[in-house]
């Protein structure tokens, strides 16, 4: 039997604005990446989401991003490794305060959006993020794009890493995600998305946009919790995994 972690980015509401179906999505995932206030979320949302995840027995991770609420943290910013280090430490520390108060462990850190994608290709940024995570708590797991610098630099720092794949994103031949600015960035057909995920787990490959099969390691699968069909897809993908003898468990 195969085993995989199923994670989702949650806690993305802000003030009077509600985004996503957090409480319902938590029924199907094993890990939650909770926004830490820079790209989404706020202190009240962070506290509430930690409580919701803890009540469901879902492992909790910090989801730090660049300080870009208007762009949802998806716009590239010219930041230095020192900037990345401080941003990650600040946000992880904030969420850790809420997990400590709730008497639940913080399991992992997964950078968000532009920070995640920049660090995947920038060794210095990845190393700075890994150092920040290690300095907060060397037992934290660093989630990163499979085959990217987040994984290699995390390992160099002595961290446990989880190689992440995406259920609803397309891949480039170099293993990077197709930029969201391109029309073919998302996999909108649910059957196709599930089939791709099963191949990534069972065969260790995914078909890139040029038709070439490229190797990937699937420790954890990201499903997005903010789309119109997010809840239905979360249910479908978990059911499909279990039907194909893939146990859904948190990484730790």
């Amino acid at each position: 039997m195969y085993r995989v972690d199923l994670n989702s980015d949650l806690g993305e509401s802000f003030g009077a604005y509600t985004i996503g179906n957090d409480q319902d999505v938590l029924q199907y995932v094993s890990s939650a990446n909770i926004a830490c206030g820079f790209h989404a979320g706020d202190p009240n949302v962070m506290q509430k989401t930690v409580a919701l995840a803890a009540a469901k027995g879902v492992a909790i991770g910090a989801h730090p991003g660049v300080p870009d609420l208007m762009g949802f943290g998806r716009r590239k910013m010219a930041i230095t490794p020192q900037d990345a280090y401080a941003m990650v430490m600040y946000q992880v520390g904030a969420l850790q305060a809420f997990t400590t108060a709730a008497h639940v462990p913080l399991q992992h850190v997964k950078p968000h959006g532009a920070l995640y994608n920049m660090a995947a290709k920038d060794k210095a940024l990845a190393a700075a993020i890994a150092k920040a995570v290690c300095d907060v708590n060397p037992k934290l797991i660093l989630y990163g794009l499979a085959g990217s610098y987040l994984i290699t630099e995390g390992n160099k720092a002595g961290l446990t890493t989880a190689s992440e794949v995406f259920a609803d994103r397309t891949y480039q031949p170099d293993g990077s995600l197709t930029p969201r600015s391109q029309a073919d960035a998302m996999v909108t057909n649910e059957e196709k998305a599930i089939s791709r995920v099963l191949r990534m787990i069972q065969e260790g490959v995914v078909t890139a946009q040029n038709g070439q099969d490229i190797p990937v390691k699937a420790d954890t699968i990201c499903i997005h919790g903010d789309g119109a069909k997010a809840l239905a897809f979360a249910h479908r993908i978990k059911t499909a995994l279990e039907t194909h003898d893939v146990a859904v468990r948190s990484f730790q």
Side-chain angles (χ1 to χ4, degrees):
M1 176 181 282
Y2 296 90
R3 172 178 170 170
V4 74
D5 174 48
L6 197 59
N7 78 74
S8 188
D9 303 341
L10 303 176
E12 296 176 334
S13 299
F14 182 82
Y17 301 93
T18 300
I19 298 175
N21 306 291
D22 291 4
Q23 186 164 1
D24 294 326
V25 170
L26 281 165
Q27 299 177 68
Y28 304 110
V29 299
S30 49
S31 295
N33 319 307
I34 300 178
C36 303
F38 271 33
H39 74 278
D42 62 36
N44 287 326
V45 172
M46 291 164 72
Q47 183 181 36
K48 178 182 177 181
T49 311
V50 165
L52 288 173
K56 294 289 186 181
V58 173
I60 295 170
H63 198 38
V66 293
D68 180 22
L69 280 173
M70 288 186 67
F72 199 65
R74 288 177 176 162
R75 298 182 292 190
K76 286 185 178 180
M77 295 181 71
I79 62 173
T80 66
Q82 176 56 36
D83 292 331
Y85 175 88
M87 287 177 190
V88 170
M89 179 167 284
Y90 183 94
Q91 292 174 82
V92 174
L95 189 69
Q96 186 172 251
F98 287 111
T99 60
T100 298
H103 305 290
V104 292
L106 183 65
Q107 175 193 249
H108 67 275
V109 176
K110 174 189 165 182
H112 165 80
L115 183 61
Y116 182 99
N117 291 322
M118 290 189 297
K121 294 184 175 183
D122 187 319
K123 187 175 182 179
L125 284 182
I129 290 171
K131 179 171 172 50
V133 173
C134 194
D135 286 352
V136 171
N137 182 354
K139 293 183 179 179
L140 289 171
I141 301 164
L142 179 61
Y143 281 31
L145 183 67
S148 74
Y149 278 127
L150 279 169
I151 299 300
T152 58
E153 294 307 304
N155 290 335
K156 285 181 184 178
L159 295 168
T160 298
T161 59
S163 294
E164 183 177 42
V165 297
F166 288 76
D168 59 357
R169 297 290 302 275
T170 61
Y171 283 76
Q172 294 300 296
D174 65 355
S176 64
L177 300 176
T178 304
R180 286 179 177 268
S181 58
Q182 297 185 20
D184 59 352
M186 307 300 294
V187 179
T188 56
N189 182 294
E190 291 184 0
E191 293 296 333
K192 182 178 180 181
I194 290 170
S195 175
R196 286 164 65 89
V197 164
L198 287 170
R199 283 198 75 206
M200 286 190 275
I201 296 168
Q202 297 173 338
E203 301 177 36
V205 296
V206 65
T207 303
Q209 288 301 82
N210 66 350
Q212 172 189 357
D213 279 349
I214 58 173
V216 290
K217 184 182 180 187
D219 292 325
T220 183
I221 303 164
C222 179
I223 58 172
H224 289 102
D226 58 346
K229 299 180 180 180
L231 183 59
F233 181 61
H235 178 249
R236 285 195 67 186
I237 194 167
K238 185 176 183 182
T239 300
L241 291 172
E242 292 176 340
T243 300
H244 288 82
D245 293 325
V246 180
V248 176
R249 301 284 188 273
S250 62
F251 187 74
Q252 200 163 42

